[in-house]
Amino acid sequence: MVTDGSRLFTIVAALLWVALVAAPLLVSIAMNSLMSGAPLVGVALWLALLRVARWLSPISRADALLQRGAFADALEMCERSLSVSGSGAWVGSRRLAWLNRRFSALLGLGRYDEALTAAVDAMEASPDPETIATLALALLRLNRYESAIAAAREASALTHGRSVRAN
Protein backbone atom coordinates (compact mmCIF):
# COMPACT_ATOMS: atom_id res chain seq x y z
CA MET A 1 0.00 0.00 0.00
CA VAL A 2 1.37 3.41 -1.00
CA THR A 3 0.26 6.22 1.28
CA ASP A 4 0.78 9.96 1.23
CA GLY A 5 3.75 10.61 3.49
CA SER A 6 4.33 14.17 2.32
CA ARG A 7 3.72 15.73 5.75
CA LEU A 8 6.30 13.48 7.39
CA PHE A 9 8.67 14.02 4.46
CA THR A 10 8.38 17.80 4.86
CA ILE A 11 9.20 17.66 8.56
CA VAL A 12 12.16 15.33 8.05
CA ALA A 13 13.42 17.41 5.10
CA ALA A 14 13.29 20.61 7.15
CA LEU A 15 15.19 19.00 10.04
CA LEU A 16 17.81 17.57 7.71
CA TRP A 17 18.24 20.93 5.99
CA VAL A 18 18.89 22.58 9.35
CA ALA A 19 21.35 19.83 10.36
CA LEU A 20 23.20 19.55 7.05
CA VAL A 21 23.09 23.06 5.61
CA ALA A 22 22.06 25.78 8.05
CA ALA A 23 23.89 24.64 11.20
CA PRO A 24 27.32 24.11 9.59
CA LEU A 25 26.99 27.38 7.71
CA LEU A 26 25.99 29.37 10.80
CA VAL A 27 28.72 27.77 12.92
CA SER A 28 31.23 28.49 10.16
CA ILE A 29 30.19 32.15 10.06
CA ALA A 30 30.20 32.46 13.86
CA MET A 31 33.67 30.91 14.15
CA ASN A 32 34.94 32.86 11.12
CA SER A 33 36.35 29.58 9.84
CA LEU A 34 35.76 27.39 6.81
CA MET A 35 35.56 24.32 9.10
CA SER A 36 37.37 22.19 6.52
CA GLY A 37 34.56 22.63 4.01
CA ALA A 38 31.78 21.31 6.28
CA PRO A 39 29.16 23.74 4.93
CA LEU A 40 29.95 22.71 1.35
CA VAL A 41 29.81 19.02 2.29
CA GLY A 42 26.44 19.67 3.99
CA VAL A 43 25.05 21.29 0.85
CA ALA A 44 26.32 18.39 -1.29
CA LEU A 45 24.74 15.85 1.09
CA TRP A 46 21.48 17.80 1.06
CA LEU A 47 21.34 17.77 -2.75
CA ALA A 48 22.17 14.05 -2.81
CA LEU A 49 19.39 13.31 -0.29
CA LEU A 50 16.89 15.28 -2.38
CA ARG A 51 17.88 13.27 -5.44
CA VAL A 52 17.44 9.98 -3.57
CA ALA A 53 14.07 11.14 -2.20
CA ARG A 54 12.93 11.98 -5.73
CA TRP A 55 14.10 8.59 -6.95
CA LEU A 56 12.26 6.80 -4.12
CA SER A 57 9.00 8.74 -4.47
CA PRO A 58 6.01 6.58 -5.41
CA ILE A 59 5.02 8.96 -8.21
CA SER A 60 8.50 8.67 -9.76
CA ARG A 61 8.32 4.89 -9.57
CA ALA A 62 4.94 4.96 -11.33
CA ASP A 63 6.38 7.28 -13.99
CA ALA A 64 9.28 4.87 -14.54
CA LEU A 65 6.84 1.99 -15.01
CA LEU A 66 4.85 4.01 -17.53
CA GLN A 67 7.99 4.98 -19.45
CA ARG A 68 9.07 1.34 -19.64
CA GLY A 69 5.66 0.36 -20.96
CA ALA A 70 4.78 -1.66 -17.85
CA PHE A 71 1.25 -0.29 -17.93
CA ALA A 72 -0.33 -3.13 -15.93
CA ASP A 73 2.18 -2.71 -13.09
CA ALA A 74 1.72 1.08 -13.14
CA LEU A 75 -2.05 0.66 -13.07
CA GLU A 76 -1.82 -1.73 -10.11
CA MET A 77 0.33 0.80 -8.24
CA CYS A 78 -2.13 3.60 -9.03
CA GLU A 79 -5.12 1.55 -7.92
CA ARG A 80 -3.43 0.64 -4.62
CA SER A 81 -2.51 4.28 -4.01
CA LEU A 82 -5.95 5.61 -4.83
CA SER A 83 -7.67 3.00 -2.64
CA VAL A 84 -6.02 4.33 0.53
CA SER A 85 -8.43 6.10 2.85
CA GLY A 86 -8.11 7.93 6.13
CA SER A 87 -5.10 9.96 7.17
CA GLY A 88 -2.78 8.33 4.63
CA ALA A 89 -5.03 9.07 1.66
CA TRP A 90 -3.74 11.10 -1.24
CA VAL A 91 -5.52 14.46 -1.51
CA GLY A 92 -5.44 17.54 -3.68
CA SER A 93 -2.79 17.79 -6.36
CA ARG A 94 -1.08 14.61 -5.15
CA ARG A 95 -4.32 12.65 -5.73
CA LEU A 96 -4.64 14.31 -9.14
CA ALA A 97 -1.14 13.07 -10.00
CA TRP A 98 -2.23 9.48 -9.27
CA LEU A 99 -5.46 9.94 -11.25
CA ASN A 100 -3.48 11.19 -14.26
CA ARG A 101 -1.08 8.27 -14.07
CA ARG A 102 -4.01 5.84 -13.83
CA PHE A 103 -5.39 7.46 -16.99
CA SER A 104 -2.04 7.02 -18.76
CA ALA A 105 -1.79 3.36 -17.71
CA LEU A 106 -5.32 2.60 -18.91
CA LEU A 107 -4.64 4.40 -22.18
CA GLY A 108 -1.44 2.38 -22.64
CA LEU A 109 -3.38 -0.84 -22.04
CA GLY A 110 -5.93 0.15 -24.68
CA ARG A 111 -8.76 0.27 -22.12
CA TYR A 112 -10.20 3.49 -23.50
CA ASP A 113 -13.62 3.36 -21.79
CA GLU A 114 -11.95 3.02 -18.40
CA ALA A 115 -9.45 5.74 -19.38
CA LEU A 116 -12.39 8.06 -20.06
CA THR A 117 -13.77 7.27 -16.59
CA ALA A 118 -10.32 8.02 -15.10
CA ALA A 119 -10.22 11.32 -17.01
CA VAL A 120 -13.64 12.26 -15.65
CA ASP A 121 -12.42 11.41 -12.12
CA ALA A 122 -9.44 13.70 -12.69
CA MET A 123 -11.80 16.42 -13.96
CA GLU A 124 -13.77 16.18 -10.71
CA ALA A 125 -10.54 16.59 -8.74
CA SER A 126 -9.27 19.55 -10.78
CA PRO A 127 -10.88 20.93 -13.94
CA ASP A 128 -7.69 22.67 -15.09
CA PRO A 129 -6.65 22.97 -18.76
CA GLU A 130 -4.32 19.96 -18.71
CA THR A 131 -6.98 17.75 -17.14
CA ILE A 132 -9.52 18.91 -19.73
CA ALA A 133 -6.96 18.10 -22.42
CA THR A 134 -6.58 14.62 -20.90
CA LEU A 135 -10.33 14.20 -21.19
CA ALA A 136 -10.10 15.31 -24.83
CA LEU A 137 -7.46 12.64 -25.49
CA ALA A 138 -9.69 9.94 -24.00
CA LEU A 139 -12.59 11.12 -26.16
CA LEU A 140 -10.33 11.11 -29.21
CA ARG A 141 -9.27 7.50 -28.57
CA LEU A 142 -12.95 6.55 -28.38
CA ASN A 143 -13.55 8.21 -31.78
CA ARG A 144 -15.83 10.83 -30.23
CA TYR A 145 -14.28 13.55 -32.35
CA GLU A 146 -16.78 16.38 -31.82
CA SER A 147 -16.60 16.07 -28.04
CA ALA A 148 -12.81 15.78 -28.18
CA ILE A 149 -12.53 18.94 -30.29
CA ALA A 150 -14.85 20.84 -27.94
CA ALA A 151 -12.82 19.76 -24.88
CA ALA A 152 -9.52 20.63 -26.58
CA ARG A 153 -10.83 24.07 -27.53
CA GLU A 154 -11.98 24.65 -23.95
CA ALA A 155 -8.54 23.63 -22.60
CA SER A 156 -6.83 25.90 -25.09
CA ALA A 157 -9.15 28.82 -24.27
CA LEU A 158 -8.48 28.49 -20.54
CA THR A 159 -4.74 29.02 -20.92
CA HIS A 160 -3.08 32.34 -21.62
CA GLY A 161 -0.68 30.55 -23.93
CA ARG A 162 -1.56 27.44 -25.78
CA SER A 163 -1.98 24.17 -23.90
CA VAL A 164 0.50 21.70 -25.39
CA ARG A 165 -1.72 18.73 -24.62
CA ALA A 166 -4.81 20.50 -26.04
CA ASN A 167 -3.00 21.11 -29.32
Side-chain angles (χ1 to χ4, degrees):
M1 174 170 33
V2 180
T3 61
D4 184 3
S6 60
R7 181 174 293 140
L8 176 62
F9 174 80
T10 303
I11 292 168
V12 169
L15 292 173
L16 282 172
W17 183 84
V18 168
L20 293 175
V21 178
L25 185 60
L26 292 174
V27 169
S28 170
I29 291 170
M31 294 176 57
N32 198 18
S33 165
L34 295 178
M35 294 176 34
S36 300
L40 181 60
V41 171
V43 169
L45 281 172
W46 170 251
L47 293 174
L49 283 173
L50 285 180
R51 187 70 178 150
V52 168
R54 171 84 172 118
W55 180 67
L56 292 174
S57 88
I59 292 288
S60 293
R61 290 195 317 258
D63 286 342
L65 289 171
L66 289 170
Q67 288 173 355
R68 286 195 314 257
F71 300 116
D73 294 335
L75 179 61
E76 181 183 332
M77 188 175 192
C78 292
E79 295 297 346
R80 280 194 326 260
S81 298
L82 289 167
S83 69
V84 174
S85 60
S87 63
W90 298 86
V91 295
S93 61
R94 293 181 301 277
R95 179 173 172 72
L96 180 62
W98 282 112
L99 290 170
N100 285 332
R101 279 149 185 86
R102 183 173 79 184
F103 167 80
S104 296
L106 288 166
L107 206 63
L109 291 169
R111 294 163 52 182
Y112 302 133
D113 289 325
E114 293 173 72
L116 178 60
T117 303
V120 170
D121 290 345
M123 282 286 297
E124 291 172 2
S126 175
D128 63 14
E130 292 302 313
T131 308
I132 296 170
T134 298
L135 177 65
L137 181 58
L139 292 166
L140 182 65
R141 294 293 171 103
L142 288 168
N143 299 325
R144 294 169 58 183
Y145 301 117
E146 295 301 318
S147 298
I149 290 169
R153 284 189 177 141
E154 181 180 346
S156 187
L158 289 175
T159 59
H160 295 292
R162 294 282 187 201
S163 168
V164 173
R165 186 172 281 178
N167 284 328

